[in-house]
Amino acid sequence: QVQLVESGGGLVQPGGSLRLSCTASGIIFNIYTMGWYRRAPGKPRELVAAITSGYSTNYADSVKDRFTISRNNAKNTVYLQMNSLKPEDTAVYYCNAKNIFGMDYWGQGTQVTVSS
């Protein structure tokens, strides 16, 4: 059974930092592109950042230079380091795993709230 378990969300003040983690089980982690998506209230889900099996990364324009995605294949874990957080970063953040064979999995989501 495939599981993606996110952790690290919470409440932080504007300008603060959080690190999200997503640990996968039941998949061959190192062949998957791992991504972080978010859904804010009243808005569609959007890609925040992704990292391929070859460690190539891409970011939404709104988070470039503030967020960093990384992965540790030995731990089956992907991270999202979020710095200089803004209120508009408030959302539920979801971990995603997908591969070239069309396999696509989602975590349950973790809430990030940026507020003073």
Side-chain angles (χ1 to χ4, degrees), residues 86-103:
K86 304 175 181 180
E88 51 263 44
D89 295 317
T90 295
V92 178
Y93 284 70
Y94 297 91
C95 177
N96 173 260
K98 62 181 64 171
N99 67 20
I100 61 171
F101 306 107
M103 310 302 286

Side-chain angles (χ1 to χ4, degrees), residues 4-56:
L4 301 179
V5 180
E6 300 108 332
S7 61
L11 173 64
V12 64
Q13 291 187 340
S17 298
L18 283 175
R19 187 174 85 153
L20 305 183
S21 300
C22 169
T23 299
S25 59
I27 61 173
I28 303 173
F29 184 80
N30 60 7
I31 70 170
Y32 280 75
T33 289
M34 301 300 298
W36 288 97
Y37 290 74
R38 66 187 181 188
R39 176 175 284 150
K43 295 186 177 181
R45 185 176 62 197
E46 64 171 346
L47 174 67
V48 177
I51 183 166
T52 69
S53 58
Y55 292 86
S56 296

